Amino acid sequence: MSDNTAGKKPVIVYGASGYTGRLICEYLREFGVPFIAAGRDEGKLKASMEANVAGIETADYEIVQVEHTVEALTELFSGASVVCNTVGPFSKFGPATVEACLAAGTHYLDTTGEQDWLITCDEQYGDDFAAAGLLLSPGIAHMYTTGEIAAELCLEKPGLDTLDIAVFWGGSPTIASTQTILVNAATSKAHYLAQNQYVEFDPTQGLLPLVVPGQHELALSLPWGGTSHPVWYRKDPRVANCKAQGGVFNAALMHGVPQIVAGALEATKDMDEEERDATLTATAAQVMNVMPPRENPRLNKSLDSVHASGPLGRAHCVIHGNQNYKQTGLLQAFAAFSLLQQPPLRVGFASGCKAFGHRELLGQLRAFGLVAEPVLTYQGN
């Protein structure tokens, strides 16, 4: 590929051969956005585009193999407007990608909810991106953004300062998601927000049963690394407290997660970083070593529920949806499409809703048939 390839396409999907990367490419095609499918293995990228991206024959795209270094990524990103990054674990691979975006002058989007990575983005890179007039928006994905939309709908009622967030989905994590869960558990702590301060979840808490709207059976949940929400809302003057829990509807799978994580942590506690990462990657492969099938809306359902409360008021928002990975692909593609048309609502470190508007993002999910009309109820003054 020639050095000026990136200048011909405004959006780069980095990690395009992965499950989520493919879906971002699929929706970029639907928005008519030219893109570069980038990654570390040209053969995988080509095979993935041709075999897994619906309608790829009508897309305007190119494939570029790139080394994961700041220098190589900066060269690739130069001339583009937006990078959609799906290469994780982000706490390990994210810094080089973000630094390359800053050097190349491109907006940065990613799909993760790794809390330590979001805090790093906020504290280490946010000011530099803001100064450059660029958006730094990690965590644009179903597990975080759809719940944030529900929270923002609740917060349209003034006087609510506490968010209790639950997110559930049908299906199983991808290979990359499973690896990220294990690495995140081994290397970082999970936090919730209490009076605008990060407070660590009790690591021995285990599974927590939650009441889930629309079913009689209790669902099992975990802090899931703490999620993006406490980081996004820490500097929001409306919100003082924020706690998020999540999980899959499959109770048997949920029962297995804590044992898998505990076993992996015990096995790797005395290892150096390189050996630990290799062992955790092998453990993740034992849990999930094949790409999940393309989502089925009858099986892959999603549910986001947010209780918001204040001294004298309550709000509750439920968003029923399906195909959480497709929601992620759409949200990423629309965010990129939007950035090509106009500046974001906020530059620097910002969530999807703060950068693009929660009702605008909801409208896209509704337009593509991925979520139902939110169920929103209020109590009190």
Side-chain angles (χ1 to χ4, degrees):
M1 297 291 174
S2 61
D3 290 343
N4 63 353
T5 299
K8 300 175 184 176
K9 310 293 182 194
V11 176
I12 294 172
V13 182
Y14 184 41
S17 63
Y19 192 90
T20 304
R22 303 168 184 174
L23 291 169
I24 297 171
C25 294
E26 183 176 324
Y27 281 108
L28 286 171
R29 182 197 70 87
E30 296 202 19
F31 282 110
V33 174
F35 63 91
I36 286 175
R40 288 166 286 186
D41 187 323
E42 184 175 359
K44 277 187 180 179
L45 287 162
K46 188 174 188 298
S48 187
M49 290 299 106
E50 293 176 354
N52 299 108
V53 180
I56 193 65
E57 66 279 358
T58 62
D60 181 1
Y61 77 104
E62 294 179 40
I63 289 171
V64 175
Q65 179 174 306
V66 62
E67 292 181 12
H68 187 78
T69 65
V70 175
E71 295 74 21
L73 292 172
T74 299
E75 183 179 351
L76 173 63
F77 297 168
S78 295
S81 297
V82 187
V83 171
C84 300
N85 181 25
T86 70
V87 177
F90 291 79
S91 57
K92 180 177 181 179
F93 295 112
T97 313
V98 162
E99 290 166 19
C101 282
L102 189 60
T106 61
H107 298 295
Y108 174 90
L109 314 173
D110 77 31
T111 57
T112 188
E114 291 172 49
Q115 202 174 71
D116 58 333
W117 170 238
L118 269 94
I119 292 171
T120 296
C121 286
D122 181 19
E123 296 180 353
Q124 293 189 22
Y125 300 114
D127 289 346
D128 289 339
F129 269 74
L134 297 171
L135 175 64
L136 173 63
S137 192
I140 297 182
H142 161 259
M143 192 174 171
Y144 317 104
T145 306
T146 310
E148 187 196 8
I149 292 169
E152 290 293 320
L153 291 171
C154 290
L155 291 170
E156 289 179 353
K157 178 182 176 69
L160 307 180
D161 63 6
T162 298
L163 297 174
D164 176 2
I165 300 173
V167 53
F168 285 89
W169 63 96
S172 58
T174 63
I175 299 169
S177 297
T178 304
Q179 181 180 348
T180 296
I181 290 166
L182 293 178
V183 172
N184 202 42
T187 59
S188 62
K189 299 175 180 178
H191 299 87
Y192 59 93
L193 196 65
Q195 296 304 316
N196 299 107
Q197 301 296 317
Y198 293 131
V199 179
E200 186 185 353
F201 274 97
D202 178 359
T204 65
Q205 170 189 291
L207 294 167
L208 183 70
L210 291 187
V211 175
V212 176
Q215 68 181 49
H216 293 110
E217 183 180 351
L218 294 175
L220 299 174
S221 71
L222 290 166
W224 225 262
T227 79
S228 307
H229 304 98
V231 186
W232 285 337
Y233 284 108
R234 187 174 70 88
K235 297 177 183 177
D236 190 317
R238 301 170 299 173
V239 177
N241 312 293
C242 178
K243 182 178 287 188
Q245 297 266 149
V248 296
F249 288 115
N250 184 327
L253 183 57
M254 284 301 293
H255 275 295
V257 172
Q259 286 96 329
I260 294 166
V261 171
L265 296 186
E266 178 63 26
T268 59
K269 64 181 181 181
D270 298 322
M271 294 180 179
D272 61 35
E273 181 179 344
E274 186 174 342
E275 188 181 6
R276 181 201 65 212
D277 287 353
T279 301
L280 292 175
T281 299
T283 303
Q286 292 171 8
V287 179
M288 173 61 67
N289 63 358
V290 295
M291 283 288 182
R294 189 173 174 83
E295 290 169 301
N296 181 339
R298 297 175 66 240
L299 301 175
N300 300 107
K301 300 173 184 177
S302 70
L303 182 143
D304 292 86
S305 175
V306 177
H307 286 283
S309 60
L312 296 175
R314 299 284 186 277
H316 184 208
C317 184
V318 182
I319 300 180
H320 294 279
N322 61 61
Q323 302 174 100
N324 52 295
Y325 283 99
K326 288 189 76 173
Q327 290 182 47
T328 298
L330 172 61
L331 289 165
Q332 285 276 322
F334 174 73
F337 176 67
S338 178
L339 288 167
L340 300 182
Q341 313 299 317
Q342 61 186 23
L345 300 176
R346 184 178 296 183
V347 294
F349 177 78
S351 68
C353 288
K354 297 291 174 59
F356 303 104
H358 61 285
R359 287 196 171 273
E360 286 73 13
L361 296 179
L362 173 63
Q364 294 301 314
L365 293 171
R366 295 277 292 134
F368 281 82
L370 294 174
V371 302
E373 184 70 28
V375 180
L376 186 60
T377 55
Y378 295 115
Q379 291 177 302
N381 297 325

